[in-house]
């Protein structure tokens, strides 16, 4: 049964959030009770707002209709990214959303439904070996800043940059270990060679996953030599001897104050700062989609109330806001645009439930880069209370998802019956309808059942009380995320859990994560993108950099089989079996598929069409902005 106390607490959190937001608006000189028309033009000289408009003068020369957008630079207020770099391979796939508008991909995806579409490649297909991929490139596509036409040389170069050892993203492992070579067949044709079928390859190459952004080799060479020579660590020695990487010795990465290597996208980055944001300039006569706005800016503002206040004050034109501030902005006349695909997943992942020593221990993890890590004794399941199934069940059943949805998302969240899966979706396969019918019994809110499961789990563990830590992480795609995590912590306290709420510096978090130093922690995740990549990123030991989520050797055996496929349809049955296993194991804490929404000034932005399928991104397809 749902308790009145839980609802009261949630309502108090919402009320406090709204008061803080309104106070922030008032501090910026805005009357929080007023409902002005956004960026309304001043009344004509000689009139008052309440006076009737003067009669038109029939002899006057008609005023021409304004042309062009209302502003040259459209500004969106968003939370800051977890990782920040002007080197495209450094931020992880879920953190590089601010650099992706600068680049394009061989295979794009439709911003209205997420389907694969031609982008820099006009066509692609499997080779006779059944697993390598051939791409025919689009001719005449130009790089930013006059760096010439995109050709097969740039595709090979972009792959080489992805196999450098300092790229520790999950997509880099595919490019480094699975793709053995990128063969230049002709100026506009390449083959990505692999030794066996692998489900990651096409997804990583495509825009839906990210990681294979096409950058200009000419720009890289123009910045001077030193990329490999500047690396003194012993780990780079073997890579310098790699004949493939010898092609990179004559160029270098952007320095800290430089813009990224040139791409081909409708927008190009002209300045970027980790504290303030990123500014983009539109490319004139772009081959695919010339933007309506000459400039675009992501302005990094972590406080939701400040984003709201700046929107109301007209200092920004779009903002990512939590639900209560969306409602306030809509009451003032602002409009909300929603992504077209329900891909924005919001869930909690266990940290510390690692696979014991076994076949994944040294080679699949990054022992070759770090000798001490290869020798580390990785904790086995019994070393963390989160490894106990009844504990995981108890923490799931202690959460009132309906109350969270109503309080923080106005009921807009779709219940996530099984993370990473969706019914009737070509990109996500393996759906089992029984997950929905069994959900109330297995995961549904029941405080008494949660207490009983927790008691049973503690008895099995031989401890008196569960103590765990919940991470309070800023997620650009979930503006109310910290409040949601605090509410979940209170749900757990209600069943007797000692919960520590912790905020961690992003650099410290990443270091400990990559070395599997987190133990007995729960972390929020907001992601979208390709299915199989996220399945094994957020729930296996197969990606040697992330280690988020429960790892299970039996499930990983099925996952390895699924990885030996080429298309989603090839792995439908395998992913259904895998989903059943992880469903019963309570692999994570599924919460919601959230609407990816952005609030806009309708006097500046007439429409915004975007997919919501870029992992971790507040929005995507910036060229989808339509000027008023």
């Amino acid at each position: 049964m749902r308790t009145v106390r839980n609802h009261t607490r949630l309502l108090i959190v919402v009320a406090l959030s709204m008061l803080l937001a309104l106070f922030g608006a008032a501090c910026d000189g805005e009357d929080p009770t007023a409902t002005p028309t956004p960026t309304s033009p001043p009344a004509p000289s000689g009139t008052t707002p309440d006076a009737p408009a003067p009669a038109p003068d029939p002899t006057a020369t008609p005023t021409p209709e304004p042309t062009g957008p209302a502003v040259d630079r459209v500004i969106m207020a968003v939370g800051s990214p977890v990782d920040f770099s002007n080197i495209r391979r450094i931020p992880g796939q879920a953190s590089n959303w601010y650099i992706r508008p600068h680049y394009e991909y061989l295979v794009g995806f439709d911003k209205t439904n997420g389907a694969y579409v031609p982008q820099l490649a006009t066509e692609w297909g499997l080779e006779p070996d059944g697993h390598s991929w051939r791409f025919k490139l689009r001719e005449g596509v130009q790089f930013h800043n006059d760096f010439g036409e995109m050709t097969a040389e740039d595709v090979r170069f972009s792959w080489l940059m992805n196999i450098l050892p300092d790229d520790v993203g999950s997509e880099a492992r595919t490019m480094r270990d699975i793709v053995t070579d990128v063969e230049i067949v002709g100026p506009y044709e390449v083959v990505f060679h692999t030794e066996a079928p692998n489900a990651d390859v096409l997804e990583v190459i495509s825009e839906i996953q990210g990681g294979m952004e096409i950058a200009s080799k000419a720009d890289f060479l123009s910045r001077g030599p030193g990329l490999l020579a500047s690396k003194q660590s012993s780990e780079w020695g073997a890579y310098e001897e790699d004949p493939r990487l010898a092609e990179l010795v004559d160029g270098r990465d952007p320095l800290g104050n430089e813009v990224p290597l040139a791409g081909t996208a409708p927008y190009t980055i002209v300045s970027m700062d980790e504290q303030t944001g990123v500014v983009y300039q539109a490319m004139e006569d772009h081959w695919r989609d010339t933007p309506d706005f000459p400039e675009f800016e992501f302005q990094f503002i972590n406080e939701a109330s400040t984003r709201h206040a700046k929107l109301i004050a007209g200092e920004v034109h779009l903002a990512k806001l939590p639900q209560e501030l969306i409602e306030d902005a809509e009451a003032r006349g602002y409009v909300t645009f929603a992504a077209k695909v329900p891909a924005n997943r919001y869930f909690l992942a266990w940290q510390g439930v690692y696979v014991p020593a076994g076949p994944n221990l040294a080679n699949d993890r990054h022992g070759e880069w770090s000798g001490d890590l290869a020798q580390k004794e990785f904790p086995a399941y019994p070393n963390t209370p989160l490894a106990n199934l009844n504990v995981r069940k108890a923490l799931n059943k202690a959460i009132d998802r309906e109350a969270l949805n109503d309080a923080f998302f106005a009921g807009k969240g779709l219940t996530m019956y099984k993370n990473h899966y969706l019914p009737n979706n070509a990109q996500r396969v393996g759906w089992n309808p029984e997950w929905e019918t069994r959900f109330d019994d297995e995961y549904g809110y029941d405080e008494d059942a949660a207490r009983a499961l927790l008691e049973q789990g503690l008895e099995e563990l031989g401890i008196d009380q569960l103590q765990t830590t919940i991470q309070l992480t800023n997620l650009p795609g979930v503006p109310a995320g910290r409040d949601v995590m605090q509410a979940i912590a209170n749900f757990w306290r209600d069943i007797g859990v000692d919960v520590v709420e912790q905020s961690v510096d992003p650099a410290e978090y990443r270091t400990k994560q990559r070395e599997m130093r987190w133990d007995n922690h729960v972390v929020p995740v907001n992601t979208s993108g390709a299915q199989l990549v996220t399945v094994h990123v957020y729930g296996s030991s197969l990606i040697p950099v992330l280690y988020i989520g429960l790892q299970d050797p039996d499930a990983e055996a099925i996952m390895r089989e699924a990885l030996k496929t080429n298309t989603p349809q090839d792995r439908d049955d395998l992913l259904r079996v895998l989903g059943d296993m992880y469903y019963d194991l309570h692999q994570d804490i599924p919460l919601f598929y959230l609407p990816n929404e952005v609030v806009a000034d309708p006097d500046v932005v007439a429409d915004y069409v975007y997919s919501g399928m870029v992992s971790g991104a507040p929005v995507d397809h910036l060229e989808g902005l339509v000027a008023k």
Side-chain angles (χ1 to χ4, degrees), residues 13-31:
V13 170
V14 173
L16 287 174
S17 297
M18 293 183 69
L19 286 173
L20 286 172
L22 295 176
F23 176 75
C27 288
D28 279 2
E30 185 71 26
D31 178 1

Side-chain angles (χ1 to χ4, degrees), residues 196-200 360 532 535-536 540 542 552-578 581:
N198 189 279
D200 275 354
N360 300 329
L532 188 56
V535 166
H536 70 272
S540 82
L542 305 184
D552 180 83
D554 293 333
E556 290 189 9
I558 302 297
M559 194 178 300
R560 286 181 178 276
E561 290 302 311
L563 282 168
K564 298 174 183 177
T565 63
N566 287 315
T567 67
Q569 292 71 30
D570 294 338
R571 48 189 173 269
D572 182 76
D573 290 341
L574 288 167
L575 284 186
R576 188 172 296 104
V577 172
L578 181 67
M581 297 174 71

Side-chain angles (χ1 to χ4, degrees), residues 28-154:
D28 279 2
E30 185 71 26
D31 178 1
T33 64
T35 56
T37 300
T39 60
S40 297
S45 177
T47 71
T48 66
D50 296 324
D57 180 359
T59 64
T61 302
T63 302
E65 288 293 325
T67 58
V71 297
D72 286 337
R73 179 184 295 181
V74 62
I75 304 172
M76 181 183 295
V78 297
S80 58
V82 175
D83 290 332
F84 189 86
S85 177
N86 60 351
I87 302 172
R88 66 173 185 87
R89 69 182 181 277
I90 298 302
Q93 184 263 347
S95 300
N96 69 355
W97 50 265
Y98 57 89
I99 206 168
R100 289 183 64 165
H102 182 82
Y103 292 107
E104 290 180 304
Y105 301 81
L106 296 181
V107 180
F109 68 91
D110 190 286
K111 59 184 175 235
T112 64
N113 58 25
Y116 287 135
V117 294
Q119 201 167 96
L120 294 179
T122 57
E123 57 182 281
W124 58 90
L126 287 169
E127 288 289 272
D129 65 10
H131 47 78
S132 297
W133 289 89
R134 180 180 295 263
F135 297 87
K136 294 187 178 180
L137 307 182
R138 190 178 303 276
E139 299 183 29
V141 176
Q142 299 297 311
F143 280 109
H144 306 146
N145 302 326
D146 298 321
F147 278 105
E149 184 184 15
M150 183 273 304
T151 70
E153 291 280 353
D154 301 292

Side-chain angles (χ1 to χ4, degrees), residues 132 193 397 400 515 557 560 573:
S132 297
H193 288 282
K397 289 190 74 65
D400 188 340
E515 297 186 354
R560 286 181 178 276
D573 290 341

